[in-house]
Every structure is written in structure tokens, then in C-alpha cells.
Amino acid sequence: MNPKRTRPSFWKPCIALQSAPRYGADMTILIPIFGDQLSHGLSSLAGQDKIACVILMAEVDEETEYVPHHKSKMAYILSAMRHHAEDLRSAGWTVDYVKLTDANNSGSLTGEVARAIERHNVCALRVTEAGEWRVKAMLDSWSDRFDVPVTILPDDRFLCTHGEFERWAKDRKQLRMEFFYRDMRRKSGLLMNGDAPEGGQWNFDAENRKPAKHDLTMPKPLHFAPNAVTQDVIQMVESRYGANIGQTGKFGFAVTREDALQQQQHFLAHALPNFGDYQDAMLTGEPFLWHSILSPYINSGLLDPLELCRAVEVQYRAGKVPINAAEGFIRQVIGWREYVRGIYWHAGPEYVESNALAATRPLPEFYWTGKTDMLCLSQAIGQTIAHSYAHHIQRLMITGNFALLAGLDPKQVHRWYLAVYADAYEWVELPNSLGMSQFADGGMLASKPYAASGAYINRMSDYCSHCRYDVKQRVGPKACPFNALYWDFIARNETKLRKNPRMAMPYKNWERMADADKEKLRSHAQLFLETLG
């Protein structure tokens, strides 16, 4: 991908009404709201007369089936939608809600808008812009399809607008997150002392790489027992999508803003103080550690990301959490989250086809079952199956690292991540998987491939001490597969990666090896890859 690319020629700016037009008393403004727009402050709702509007919310096959979503992911989103509809009604809005099982459900969002136009004598459509390219294409078609004016409003729940990101990216040779993050700190004022960063530096990540030990005082995220609405959704999901990956027996997501705020407060009080130190750590049987478990609520709209970051800053200013914890969390939200959204829209819909390392191996079956002797993978995938959740290092350095080393097809890897995680929407997942994890964009997003042998996993987890493989062996029946796969990755991608300055040390180490040792490593890697089927 070319980091200097301009905005795609088919980008349509939002069609914003300068003032609310006057319609007849019997005319209705239809406001479609999607499953990632569960916010009362949505731009399409702002300034509207509730009496003159009907909100349309629809569960459709088009959204539940475009990838084989995890059952708990579907249950979370659909239950949160149903609860949000009731919340909107309580606030005085008229909500037309279409369930997946409704007899006349058309199966598509456009089809449900068409039916709603007929039901409600609609004079205008008003909608907040889409979060994904495929939905944007759908919204862009509505002006031609429907004989009513369509107003598409910017999604102002993000700190950085599309135009601001394009101006930031223009003429830059490298689109590095660190520099973007500093601009977002300045814009938001978070952890700033005038023009200077709090603590005298922008980034405290060097302090956030400590391995963890099992601790009886480790906080647990709140578990929200499914109410009747959620139970109905779970039963429906199990009935329609019982063959999909995942379990719903441990479902405990918050499905209302009120409950999501409870988890937010629980994180601030109990987990945030140690979040910084241990955010990269991994422990057998501990899926959550000191992580917030808030990303599903942020990405669906139940929580406001800037409001959350300000609450984190309050905890720091009050002396309740160290700066490495506060800064590390804020960087993930206003830095990384905003940055990957910018990359997604800057790169264009063809980004999904990126495959700079020409990786073509099919995704192994154990990504769907968790059945593998590699304990690190069985732990990360097993908890994904159970909870539709794994933290960022498990995604990047376990499942993602293995896929990178094994040369798995990055598009298949992307679709897996999009399917299995409750917080996964394409705008945030695609750059993370193709760019950060698989280096499939050739370095547009990441400065180097995040490839690592078993030594990294051993340093940041206790997985290796319980695994049938020996992390200290490179070849042989007990050798950790990550070791030979790492060197095979280095060797087979030499022409593409040797000139990368951040890859100089691995290639120097490879050059120092005896030819016989190189041959043993590569042969062992090939033998293992053949077992993946």
C-alpha cells in the first residue's frame, strides 16, 4: 500500500442539512440506527423533534451472516440493540424494531429501510455515517434507491475526523501511530501540562511489559447474568447459529449502558492501578487479568471513549493510579483506536486484499476448535471460544504471531478475528489483523513484522512451563514449533524484509548460523507445517 495515497475517488462527503426542514404534520423522518451506534448522543439524533421522527433498528441476516460470528458476539450485539431500543423509547423516541425472526424480515438493512418507508409515510432519511466500507456503499446507494432526501451525518463519537486524518497523513513517508497519538493528546488535553506531556514524556510503554504471577487478589470483571431479553436472544442464536464457533453458557456481557458503566467503574477502581504493569502478561487459566473488558461497549456505542479516558485521567490526578497505567490505557483509546480507524478509511476497501508476504496457507482447524498441543494457542483460542474475548497480546503475539510465522492466508486470518471477538468491527479489526499482526500491508501500519520465537512467549507468560513442547529446543519431537517457524519465516522472507532497519539483528543472527543448522531448522519447520493439513 502507498502511504501517500489520497482519499479514494469514490469517497462521498456527508450530506449535512444546514437546518431542519419543515415537513407536514403527518410526515416522518426515518432515522436508521445500527448495532455499532448504540449511543444517545448519535449525530443523527441531535437536534431532532422526537415527535416527527421514527427510529428504525433491524436485526438482519445480512449482518449476522457476512462472517460466521461467535455465538456470544451475536448474542451481545442483538441483546444490546434490543435494550437500547427500550432505552430510546423511555427517552421519548418512537422506535420501530425488527427482530431477526419477524416473518416479513427482508434480511437486509436496505430492505428494512424500504419497508419502513412504506409503513411510516417517510419524507426524509437521516443517518449517521457507516463504520465500515460495505455499509458505506449501502448508505451511498439510498439516494438513488429511495425517493426521499438522504442526510448522512459525520460520526462525532471519534476524536479525529476523516478530514483531519487525511491532512495528518498527507505527504508523510510513514504513518506511525506515535506521532498521531501526540496530536490526539494535544487536541484532547488528556494528560497534558500546557504544551508538555504529563510526566515529561509521551509514552511509558517501557514500564508496561512485566510478566505476571497467579494472584488471589487479581480482580475479576463483573458478570451480568442474562435477563429475560438476553435469554431470548441466546436461545434464538443457539437455534439459528448453533454450528457457529463459541459458547453462550458463560455469557456475562453488559447489554445496557447502565451495566457497562458499572464495569467501567469496576475497572477504574480495581484493575486500572495494575493495568499498565501487566497489560502484556499472559497466565494459564486467567483470561482477563487486569484488562478493562470495555472494548465491546466502546465499539458498540454504549460507552463514550473520551468520557472514559477523562475518567482514567481523574484517577491519575487523584493519585489513585500510576502514570504508566493511565497513559497506557489512554494511548490504546485515543491513540491506537483512533489511528486504526484513520488507517482503515485512508487505505480504502481494497486494503482487505493486501498480502505483501504472499502468504497462502489455509487457516488450521484448531483456530476454530482450540484443539492443539501448543498450550499458548489452546489457551488463547480456548478462552476465545468460551468468552468471545482475548486481550491484545494474545491476539498479536499468540494467534497472530503463529499465523504470521506459518504463512497463513491473511484474509482468512482477518475473517477469523472479525468472526470470533465481541469487539470486532471491520474498521478496528482489519488494520489490526492485516497490518499490525500479519504485516500484509508491507509496512503501511507497522514498522516491522511482529514475529517472535517461543522465547518471547516464555518471557511474558507461564504457558511454556505447562506445555508438552520444550521452549528451549529448536528442533526435534519436543521442540517448540514457534522456534523453527520463526527462523523459517526469517529465511523465506529475506528478499522482502532484509532492508527493514528493524529486522537487521535477526538477519545478522541468521547469517551467523552454520548452514547445517539452517537446514535443520527449515526442515523441521516444513515437517511441522505439513501436519497442519
Side-chain angles (χ1 to χ4, degrees), residues 301-338:
L302 293 182
L303 293 181
D304 182 295
L306 189 56
E307 180 183 82
L308 170 58
C309 287
R310 297 205 186 284
V312 169
E313 183 180 33
V314 167
Q315 295 295 101
Y316 165 73
R317 300 286 185 191
K320 296 180 179 180
V321 301
I323 191 168
N324 68 308
E327 186 278 321
F329 186 85
I330 287 171
R331 176 161 25 93
Q332 287 193 5
V333 179
I334 69 162
W336 190 254
R337 181 175 182 269
E338 294 273 346

XYZ file of all heavy atoms in Angstrom, residues 301-338:
300
model
N -20.972 1.449 21.153
C -21.542 2.762 21.443
C -22.119 2.926 22.834
O -22.561 4.018 23.187
N -22.114 1.876 23.653
C -22.686 2.001 24.993
C -21.839 2.905 25.892
O -22.373 3.569 26.784
C -22.830 0.626 25.645
C -23.845 -0.336 25.022
C -23.901 -1.633 25.820
C -25.236 0.292 24.939
N -20.535 2.921 25.647
C -19.641 3.792 26.408
C -19.019 4.830 25.490
O -18.727 4.558 24.325
C -18.540 2.981 27.092
C -18.950 2.035 28.215
C -17.721 1.343 28.786
C -19.715 2.762 29.314
N -18.778 6.008 26.046
C -18.146 7.100 25.316
C -16.635 7.027 25.556
O -16.186 7.125 26.697
C -18.699 8.432 25.806
C -18.122 9.619 25.059
O -16.901 9.851 25.170
O -18.880 10.321 24.383
N -15.824 6.856 24.513
C -14.384 6.664 24.716
C -13.691 7.865 25.356
O -12.811 7.690 26.205
C -13.851 6.380 23.309
C -14.905 6.877 22.373
C -16.206 6.736 23.092
N -14.068 9.075 24.948
C -13.422 10.251 25.530
C -13.841 10.436 26.982
O -13.024 10.794 27.840
C -13.763 11.494 24.708
C -12.975 12.770 25.065
C -11.471 12.522 24.966
C -13.386 13.914 24.136
N -15.094 10.163 27.274
C -15.585 10.226 28.656
C -14.819 9.226 29.524
O -14.437 9.526 30.670
C -17.079 9.908 28.667
C -17.752 9.936 30.008
C -19.220 9.539 29.905
O -19.515 8.316 29.877
O -20.075 10.435 29.808
N -14.574 8.037 28.998
C -13.818 7.016 29.714
C -12.386 7.480 29.963
O -11.853 7.328 31.074
C -13.837 5.712 28.910
C -12.901 4.593 29.364
C -13.181 4.184 30.800
C -13.013 3.391 28.429
N -11.749 8.026 28.948
C -10.368 8.486 29.110
C -10.271 9.611 30.133
O -9.295 9.671 30.902
C -9.808 8.941 27.765
S -9.433 7.587 26.632
N -11.252 10.480 30.162
C -11.235 11.551 31.164
C -11.400 10.972 32.567
O -10.794 11.467 33.527
C -12.312 12.580 30.861
C -12.102 13.290 29.518
C -12.747 14.672 29.475
N -12.652 15.264 28.138
C -11.542 15.789 27.618
N -10.430 15.782 28.334
N -11.541 16.307 26.403
N -12.184 9.913 32.695
C -12.332 9.255 33.994
C -11.021 8.608 34.429
O -10.672 8.612 35.617
C -13.445 8.211 33.931
N -10.276 8.050 33.471
C -8.964 7.487 33.776
C -8.019 8.585 34.248
O -7.280 8.423 35.224
C -8.389 6.765 32.545
C -6.920 6.413 32.748
C -9.201 5.505 32.242
N -8.056 9.722 33.577
C -7.193 10.839 33.968
C -7.530 11.330 35.374
O -6.626 11.657 36.162
C -7.317 11.992 32.976
C -6.384 13.158 33.307
C -6.509 14.313 32.325
O -7.625 14.543 31.814
O -5.494 14.991 32.088
N -8.807 11.358 35.717
C -9.216 11.762 37.059
C -8.587 10.841 38.100
O -8.108 11.297 39.153
C -10.756 11.754 37.178
C -11.182 11.849 38.644
C -11.356 12.920 36.387
N -8.579 9.544 37.829
C -7.967 8.592 38.761
C -6.476 8.879 38.933
O -5.934 8.798 40.042
C -8.165 7.156 38.265
C -9.609 6.685 38.236
C -10.215 6.594 39.620
O -10.964 7.487 40.036
N -9.889 5.548 40.336
N -5.806 9.221 37.842
C -4.379 9.554 37.931
C -4.175 10.849 38.704
O -3.321 10.916 39.603
C -3.769 9.675 36.535
C -2.428 10.360 36.566
C -1.307 9.703 37.075
C -2.284 11.681 36.127
C -0.076 10.339 37.137
C -1.058 12.324 36.178
C 0.037 11.649 36.693
O 1.253 12.296 36.773
N -4.929 11.874 38.379
C -4.769 13.173 39.046
C -5.055 13.061 40.543
O -4.476 13.808 41.341
C -5.699 14.212 38.421
C -5.486 14.489 36.934
C -4.251 15.291 36.665
N -4.126 15.642 35.248
C -3.040 16.171 34.699
N -1.977 16.413 35.468
N -3.010 16.459 33.414
N -5.913 12.113 40.913
C -6.241 11.919 42.326
C -5.212 11.044 43.036
O -5.347 10.771 44.234
C -7.628 11.287 42.451
N -4.184 10.599 42.331
C -3.145 9.783 42.938
C -3.529 8.343 43.146
O -2.859 7.626 43.909
N -4.573 7.870 42.463
C -5.054 6.500 42.671
C -4.436 5.494 41.714
O -4.520 4.285 41.968
C -6.579 6.468 42.559
C -7.282 7.291 43.635
C -8.796 7.223 43.483
C -9.489 8.027 44.572
N -10.972 7.987 44.442
N -3.860 5.958 40.611
C -3.206 5.051 39.667
C -1.910 5.697 39.188
O -1.811 6.924 39.110
C -4.111 4.713 38.452
C -5.407 4.077 38.899
C -4.381 5.945 37.611
N -0.898 4.889 38.871
C 0.361 5.451 38.374
C 0.227 5.935 36.936
O -0.678 5.515 36.200
C 1.328 4.276 38.482
C 0.466 3.062 38.374
C -0.838 3.433 39.035
N 1.149 6.761 36.522
C 1.039 7.363 35.187
C 1.202 6.330 34.077
O 0.578 6.446 33.016
C 2.055 8.512 35.015
C 1.723 9.292 33.733
C 3.487 7.990 35.024
C 2.453 10.600 33.596
N 2.016 5.280 34.306
C 2.175 4.292 33.230
C 0.865 3.563 32.949
O 0.584 3.170 31.819
C 3.292 3.302 33.552
C 2.972 2.388 34.722
O 2.605 2.870 35.797
N 3.095 1.089 34.525
N 0.022 3.389 33.983
C -1.278 2.744 33.783
C -2.236 3.684 33.057
O -2.894 3.291 32.090
C -1.869 2.318 35.120
N -2.305 4.938 33.530
C -3.223 5.905 32.916
C -2.822 6.195 31.473
O -3.656 6.159 30.559
C -3.253 7.192 33.731
N -1.547 6.465 31.258
C -1.088 6.784 29.905
C -1.234 5.588 28.976
O -1.661 5.723 27.820
C 0.373 7.250 29.947
C 0.912 7.743 28.609
C 1.384 6.639 27.682
O 2.002 5.651 28.169
O 1.118 6.744 26.458
N -0.914 4.387 29.479
C -1.019 3.192 28.641
C -2.440 2.931 28.182
O -2.678 2.561 27.030
N -3.399 3.143 29.069
C -4.794 2.922 28.690
C -5.277 4.009 27.734
O -5.912 3.712 26.706
C -5.685 2.880 29.930
C -7.106 2.510 29.623
C -7.480 1.178 29.531
C -8.063 3.489 29.384
C -8.786 0.824 29.211
C -9.375 3.146 29.073
C -9.734 1.810 28.986
N -4.984 5.251 28.053
C -5.416 6.353 27.203
C -4.814 6.228 25.807
O -5.481 6.506 24.801
C -5.053 7.696 27.866
C -5.996 7.952 29.056
C -5.118 8.849 26.863
C -5.608 9.132 29.911
N -3.569 5.761 25.728
C -2.935 5.588 24.416
C -3.681 4.555 23.582
O -3.817 4.703 22.363
C -1.476 5.183 24.596
C -0.756 4.890 23.302
C 0.767 4.930 23.427
N 1.232 4.659 24.761
C 1.579 3.454 25.207
N 1.473 2.396 24.414
N 2.033 3.295 26.436
N -4.159 3.490 24.210
C -4.908 2.481 23.459
C -6.193 3.048 22.868
O -6.618 2.633 21.792
C -5.231 1.292 24.365
C -4.046 0.404 24.682
C -4.446 -0.916 25.313
O -5.623 -1.229 25.437
N -3.458 -1.694 25.713
N -6.812 3.998 23.574
C -8.123 4.501 23.149
C -8.002 5.680 22.186
O -8.460 5.607 21.043
C -8.980 4.883 24.372
C -10.337 5.418 23.929
C -9.179 3.672 25.283
N -7.374 6.773 22.622
C -7.311 7.947 21.730
C -6.125 7.873 20.779
O -6.060 8.633 19.805
C -7.275 9.279 22.501
C -5.946 9.443 23.254
C -8.467 9.408 23.427
C -5.668 10.872 23.671
N -5.188 6.964 21.056
C -4.074 6.761 20.151
C -4.372 5.653 19.173
O -4.779 5.884 18.039
N -4.257 4.406 19.643
C -4.359 3.270 18.722
C -5.736 3.137 18.085
O -5.856 2.943 16.879
C -3.990 1.983 19.455
C -3.853 0.839 18.502
C -4.716 -0.186 18.317
C -2.798 0.646 17.557
N -4.263 -1.028 17.325
C -3.087 -0.535 16.839
C -1.632 1.366 17.243
C -2.256 -1.021 15.838
C -0.806 0.877 16.245
C -1.116 -0.297 15.555
N -6.802 3.239 18.865
C -8.146 3.039 18.328
C -8.466 4.084 17.256
O -9.004 3.752 16.193
C -9.182 3.098 19.459
C -10.622 2.878 19.026
C -11.542 2.835 20.237
N -12.912 2.582 19.852
C -13.813 3.529 19.581
N -13.458 4.802 19.653
N -15.042 3.213 19.242
N -8.152 5.328 17.528
C -8.411 6.382 16.551
C -7.506 6.221 15.328
O -7.930 6.463 14.194
C -8.178 7.755 17.196
C -9.140 8.111 18.314
C -10.412 8.778 17.819
O -10.446 9.203 16.651
O -11.372 8.881 18.606
